Amino acid sequence: MILLGPPGAGKGTQAVVLSKTYAVAHISTGDMLREAVKGGTPIGKEAESYMKKGELVPDEIVTGIVAERIARDDLKKGFILDGFPRTVAQAKSLDDALTKLGQKIDLMLYFATSDGVCIKRLSGRRVCRKCAAIFHSTNIPPRSEGVCDFCGGALYQRDDDKEETIKKRLLVYKQQTQPLIDYYKKARVLREVPGDLEVNELSEVLATTFNEAHLA
Ligand code: AMP
């Protein structure tokens, strides 16, 4: 399953819920790239400058890490792709990689979300440095300010969640990622969900959508 939508649509938050409910893996290219940056790996060093500017990391880098990840044995039950693909070239390379593995995309959830909601969510988002859990200063506040409810790690604001970079990321989404809506409509796997809903309401819609798609 793929989760597609603008930054701030709630894909990461919902991916965590879905992955727990259905016991399938959550694969976030953003998280994988941030880990690589933190670890100072060659991929991280190359990706960092693009990420800081709110631009997409080149396709070859991202498709490489995803192809490697989905070929592992732990994904036989299925998986949720969050933040990938983001370009038509990535979607095509994903199709090729899945064909080789004898798999296919069953469902693409498109989070239709307004710019104003995305901006509010991204500017208030706080992330755990240790376990990457997502909070929001007003929508999903942690029990104790600045501290992760799950592991006690410190919460921080992502560099690319600052105002100027948020605007750039929304623009990049419109130019490079939105064309994927048509791509997956043609593949007959797209279902649209209202990304403006608050977390629990959206989770309920997703559960219904998931059941209707006969994947539960
Ligand atoms: P995210 O956590 O999904 O918002 O991703 C954070 C940043 O990582 C993006 O702004 C991009 O710079 C980079 N990134 C994540 N996924 C991809 C992708 N599929 N293609 C290119 N760049 C990506």
Side-chain angles (χ1 to χ4, degrees):
M1 166 164 61
I2 295 171
L3 307 187
L4 184 103
K11 304 182 298 292
T13 303
Q14 296 297 337
V16 170
V17 178
L18 287 166
S19 114
K20 276 190 193 140
T21 310
Y22 301 104
V24 291
H26 169 201
I27 302 175
S28 154
T29 43
D31 283 349
M32 288 160 96
L33 290 167
R34 276 184 291 279
E35 274 298 306
V37 171
K38 206 162 105 187
T41 68
I43 284 180
K45 283 185 183 139
E46 201 170 343
E48 191 172 14
S49 62
Y50 297 98
M51 295 171 78
K52 268 200 176 141
K53 285 184 276 185
E55 289 170 8
L56 294 186
V57 173
D59 287 336
E60 318 79 73
I61 298 183
V62 188
T63 52
I65 57 175
V66 172
E68 203 178 284
R69 178 67 189 94
I70 64 175
R72 283 197 228 147
D73 278 350
D74 59 330
L75 299 181
K76 295 258 151 62
K77 261 196 87 183
F79 50 88
I80 300 167
L81 287 168
D82 159 17
F84 180 92
R86 262 173 151 105
T87 64
V88 172
Q90 290 180 17
K92 287 185 176 156
S93 115
L94 174 65
D95 284 344
D96 291 345
L98 288 173
T99 304
K100 280 187 197 135
L101 296 168
Q103 297 203 40
K104 64 175 176 49
I105 296 298
D106 293 313
L107 179 64
M108 195 277 240
L109 290 174
Y110 163 50
F111 289 49
T113 319
S114 53
D115 282 0
V117 169
C118 292
I119 292 167
K120 265 192 205 138
R121 286 187 186 149
L122 293 174
S123 51
R125 174 161 66 183
R126 299 292 180 269
V127 184
C128 175
R129 265 197 206 286
K130 235 162 117 190
C131 75
I134 303 168
F135 296 86
H136 187 279
S137 45
T138 51
N139 302 348
I140 325 170
R143 280 194 293 271
S144 166
E145 207 189 314
V147 182
C148 176
D149 288 357
F150 308 106
C151 74
L155 304 184
Y156 77 108
Q157 180 175 38
R158 276 170 45 175
D159 272 349
D160 59 352
D161 282 344
K162 311 264 158 76
E163 198 179 328
E164 275 321 295
T165 322
I166 290 175
K167 283 189 192 142
K168 170 79 180 179
R169 288 161 67 205
L170 285 170
L171 189 72
V172 165
Y173 167 78
K174 283 177 191 154
Q175 290 170 339
Q176 301 192 54
T177 308
Q178 245 174 6
L180 287 178
I181 296 169
D182 265 351
Y183 184 92
Y184 286 106
K185 260 189 196 155
K186 282 189 192 128
R188 297 176 170 276
V189 290
L190 182 141
R191 285 186 185 235
E192 181 170 327
V193 294
D196 282 358
L197 291 182
E198 63 88 23
V199 179
N200 294 334
E201 285 172 335
L202 183 54
S203 291
E204 280 175 29
V205 173
L206 294 191
T208 310
T209 310
F210 209 73
N211 286 327
E212 281 170 4
H214 305 294
L215 292 174

